Amino acid sequence: LALCHSSTAYTKFPPGFTFGVATASHQIEGAWNVNGKSENVWDRLSHTRPEMIADGTNGDIACDSYNRYLEDVEELEYLGVDFYRFSLSWARILPTGRIDYVNPDGIRYYNDLLDALAEKNIEPLVTLFHWDLPQTLQDLGGWTNPKMIDYFRDYADLCFKEFGTKIKSWITFNEPYEICEDAYGDEKKAPAVNSHGVGNYLCSDNLLKAHAESYHLYNETYRPVQNGRIMISINSIWYEPSDPANVQQVVLADVANQFKFGWFAHPIFTVEGGYPAVMVENVARQSAAEGLSKPRLEQFDDYWIQRIKGTSDFLGINHYTTHLITGPGVDPIAKSPSWLKDIGAVTTMEVGGDSASEWLRVVPTGFANLLRWCKSSYNDPPIYITENGFSDLGTLLDYDRIKYFNDYLSEILNVIYDDGVNVLGYTAWTLMDNFEWRAGFSERFGFYYVNITDPERPRTKKLSADYYRDLIANRELPQDERYKKTISDSL
Ligand code: PNW
């Protein structure tokens, strides 16, 4: 692979390019049952099935950002970010999940945070849904229930109304793939419903409709007075052929990318709209082979194809890693039926450098390929990178993280200057070590180390914090020798 590519690379970001960091409510806030907040699906999972969290931790206190948000803002100020991406806790704002009771403390908390950010000139980029569904709504079926379209629109409506004068940039959903596949088609994420091959597709139907309804609501009712923008953040594991000369693998990698990224991007960002044709065909073929008289996934009708199309002002991309396609067939880890089996390809993670997360392999060139593919597949959309980051065990001299950021950012520069990909901003995951879902605190992605055995939750900056601060201050990849060590130095 072209690893030498980045050594000759560009270092300066174009004028107007912006930088931020991201967090998510359940991963940092804590205060899980304080001042009216109700239980969410991650509270439920980590309390009732603690063995499902690698280190048995939970989000009860997490980074205690509910109480320590001013410390968060100080750290953001140190980094010098243009914007801060965080998410709202639905269960803190609407404890029943429905619009019938608004918790004043939820409104107060986010107003306080927004005011503190405004004082430091840090722009908020706010995610409405980053996985912490109120348990009350999960009890009704969660994202497999079509009523969620209304519940989500009501929640979005309230947030636009309450916070829309302070928030000009909204993200409806963080990573619909993870929401639908990991949580309803598997048990990798809460609520761990594991309705593989069925629940995952019910979820995508409802989620895409809920997204579209919220977009139209914002567009028609709020945008004329609030003048903001609204988008969705789609995650990709980018798939590449393990042997680039193998035509069958090349074709299958594209099928896998349609199933992964295209599942949610195609309905929103293409001219024709709807789910990718290859996805609809594959699921129909598999369903027939299973003896079903009706496919487990069906194309949207014309009304919904039109209603969902074009409903994002930018393409938000969360990207971490690349995996490989080794050939046709049923992946050995695929359940039956399942999204993975429906792809009809065998995947492997045997590629690139390691992180502390099994799934996260370091493959910077894959990022460039994904971005070029997005430009050509989706009509050259304006793109924000809404997450990108690297996990380790929490070392303060985090050279591997610095190298990851450097090499991935370098690929962004390559595609901007060489291919004209329209990337407008970059968001690093994450401000500080936080509750990494089923990995608990065992995998750490932060610029700040958080000591979770200390009730004060002290935050200690890592070397990567200075790297990112220098980068932002100069709008240029730092060349300073103190950031450059080999991978083995940081272990
Ligand atoms: C994201 N993958 O999840 C989430 O948005 C964050 O909340 C999370 O902490 C962060 O990335 C690190 O995991 C992902 O398999 C989950 O490519 C899986 C993948 C990527 C991102």
Side-chain angles (χ1 to χ4, degrees), residues 136 327 400:
T136 52
D400 288 357

Side-chain angles (χ1 to χ4, degrees), residues 61-94:
I61 303 174
C63 305
D64 199 22
S65 288
Y66 178 79
N67 295 304
R68 297 174 197 280
Y69 67 94
L70 291 176
E71 290 176 41
D72 299 354
V73 175
E74 271 173 37
E75 290 150 15
L76 293 163
E77 194 184 13
Y78 182 83
L79 294 174
V81 291
D82 302 306
F83 63 90
Y84 176 40
R85 178 179 171 221
F86 63 96
S87 77
L88 306 177
S89 162
W90 190 337
R92 194 179 297 289
I93 294 171
L94 294 175

